[in-house]
Each structure stands twice: as structure tokens, then as C-alpha cells.
Amino acid sequence: MTREEQKSSPFFKKVRIHVLLFIATFLTTYYVNGIWYSLAIMSILLSHELGHFFMCRKYHVDATMPYFLPLPLPPFGTFGAVIKMKGHIPHKRALFDIGAAGPLMGLVFAIPATVVGLILSDVRPVPADSSNYLGLGEPVLFSFIAKLLFGTLPEGMDIYLHPLAFAGWAGLFVTALNLLPIGQLDGGHIMYALLGKKSDIVYRIGIFIFCVITVFFYKGWILFAILLLIFGFRHPSPADEYTPLDPRRKMLGIALFIIFLLSFTPVPLKF
């Protein structure tokens, strides 16, 4: 194929969009927090989406390559990344595997980034003028790793995160959001595979709790809460509704729900 034919090929046009968005997101994350953060968060997001993508390939479910979403604003420099599934999911086991693969692959990079980044971080006094001080809500998993490395901090002291540690924190944050057991999020896929149509009850309870958190604890969730109210109550059924999950997948589903609880923080940013 000549270079001119490649440029006019629909495949290369589609790939070009994904590559350009990838490069743009690398640049915005680099602009916001530097090279270490950019490399780490891009690795976490890419591994998460490729986990979904290759699992879709395994089960012959048509899916796009990852779309990265650049945002040249702090604190994250990105809205994350997504893939779009266009094919019909054959059965619950495929649904479970596709939903679980993303968070699991993301954690493979997020947890080491957190550990190494915390080792590179400093413990300093909290500044007297905290107007420019951005505090982070610490999920249980992040706090546990920090306590193992630093012990109990004296009053008035805090950990000033290395950009790599912040990428690890952001990776846990993204993983927790995706594992919310609601609608067509990864956690919603997993919950539907476990409970079938009964998962609708879990979705409703989850949305109610999330809205309560939004109203009373952290208004920053408002946009996400609105999206959940619009899209979070329904989940498309796989072709085979009746073949149950095997015990290994059921145990992994419980483990992923525990990971969600350990990684989620109701108030992620404290200004």
C-alpha cells in the first residue's frame, strides 16, 4: 500500500484520531504535572482500556481502540480514556471478563506507581497560608501504603506527593470510579454478570448513595451524579442470560468490590 493509499484508508483515518488524542493527552498531562506524572498516568489509563479492548477481542465483541480525553487544566490534565463497545456481548462470563479486565490491568500500574512515588515523596509542615494548598482525600488503600512507608505523621505534617505518587493516587481514583456498581460502568458490568436483572436494585441503591454524597459532602460530584441519573439505571442484557458465572469469577467479583471500597474516597479534593 502506498503512502497516499494509507492516508485515504478508513483504518488509518481512525487510527490517526486515536494517536492524535493520545499525543494531546500526553502533552496536557505533561503540562499539568510533568514527565513522571504524564508517563505514569498514561500507562495506567492505557493499560486499563487495553484490558477491555483485548478482552473484547477474545470474545469477538466489536470495540474501538481507546479514545484519550485531553484536558489542559489541573489537577489531572485529562478526563481519562474510553473505548466504545459496538458488538453484542455473548454471555455473562464475557461480560464479567470485559468489565473486570480494565480495573485489574490499571491496578497493575497504579499500585507500583503509588508505592514508588510515595518513596520519592517528602514529609513537610503544612503551610500556614493554606489558600494554595490542595489536599487529597485518601482512600483506605492509599492511606495503608502511606502508613507502611511513613508511619503516623506528627500533627501539622503532611506528605507532599511526588508526581509519580499523585499519578498512583489518580489511578486508584479512576479505578474506584469505574468500579462503582452502577449502570454501564465496569462495576455495573461486573454486578450484572453476578446478579443478572436483580442488579437493577444495586444500581438504584448505588445512585441514591452517590447523590447523597454529592449533596451533603462533595458538590464536585454534581456532573457525574447527573450522568448517573441519566444513564445509570439500565444495563443491556448479554445474549445468554442464564449461564451462571463459575466460582472463580464470583470470588474475583467480590474481591473487586472490596477493591472499590478500599480505593474510593467520597471527598477526593480538599481546597
Side-chain angles (χ1 to χ4, degrees):
M1 182 181 290
T2 66
R3 184 172 298 177
E4 288 73 19
E5 289 173 329
Q6 288 180 354
K7 289 180 179 179
S8 62
S9 166
F11 172 78
F12 280 95
K13 286 182 180 179
K14 289 180 181 179
V15 169
R16 188 187 307 162
I17 294 171
H18 297 281
V19 171
L20 289 175
L21 286 172
F22 179 89
I23 294 171
T25 306
F26 174 81
L27 292 175
T28 56
T29 52
Y30 173 77
Y31 169 74
V32 167
N33 282 314
I35 188 65
W36 285 110
Y37 171 79
S38 183
L39 291 173
I41 196 64
M42 294 295 289
S43 298
I44 293 166
L45 294 174
L46 181 62
S47 61
H48 183 117
E49 297 307 326
L50 288 182
H52 293 315
F53 179 79
F54 286 119
M55 201 57 71
C56 285
R57 285 295 181 92
K58 175 181 177 180
Y59 289 107
H60 307 290
V61 176
D62 190 19
T64 67
M65 290 181 289
Y67 289 96
F68 283 80
L69 307 174
L71 177 69
L73 295 172
F76 300 117
T78 176
F79 274 126
V82 296
I83 67 167
K84 183 179 180 181
M85 290 188 292
K86 299 180 286 185
H88 203 64
I89 297 175
H91 44 71
K92 286 183 180 179
R93 292 184 179 184
L95 178 63
F96 179 91
D97 290 353
I98 291 169
L104 288 172
M105 289 303 299
L107 286 171
V108 167
F109 287 86
I111 292 177
T114 299
V115 173
V116 176
L118 282 171
I119 291 172
L120 296 173
S121 300
D122 297 321
V123 176
R124 305 179 199 164
V126 177
D129 179 12
S130 59
S131 57
N132 295 320
Y133 179 74
L134 176 63
L136 299 178
E138 293 187 7
V140 174
L141 181 56
F142 190 92
S143 296
F144 175 74
I145 296 172
K147 193 159 189 176
L148 283 179
L149 294 172
F150 294 101
T152 302
L153 296 179
E155 188 174 350
M157 304 293 285
D158 201 358
I159 302 170
Y160 281 69
L161 297 182
H162 187 276
L164 191 58
F166 181 60
W169 180 93
L172 295 179
F173 174 75
V174 169
T175 298
L177 283 187
N178 278 281
L179 282 175
L180 281 167
I182 297 172
Q184 296 187 51
L185 296 171
D186 298 341
H189 294 329
I190 294 166
M191 193 58 62
Y192 194 97
L194 288 168
L195 301 179
K197 293 182 178 179
K198 293 180 181 178
S199 59
D200 181 64
I201 300 171
V202 179
Y203 298 166
R204 292 177 183 275
I205 294 172
I207 291 172
F208 173 76
I209 293 173
F210 196 86
C211 288
V212 169
I213 292 172
T214 301
V215 171
F216 293 103
F217 297 98
Y218 186 66
K219 300 296 192 296
W221 289 124
I222 185 66
L223 179 59
F224 196 68
I226 291 171
L227 292 174
L228 292 180
L229 286 169
I230 296 172
F231 301 108
F233 289 101
R234 295 183 178 274
H235 190 288
S237 305
D240 177 5
E241 274 275 349
Y242 304 104
T243 303
L245 297 183
D246 57 278
R248 181 178 63 85
R249 285 183 173 88
K250 290 180 181 178
M251 292 299 295
L252 180 56
I254 294 171
L256 284 168
F257 183 68
I258 294 171
I259 289 172
F260 158 70
L261 294 176
L262 295 177
S263 302
F264 182 73
T265 177
V267 184
L269 301 175
K270 303 171 184 177
F271 297 97

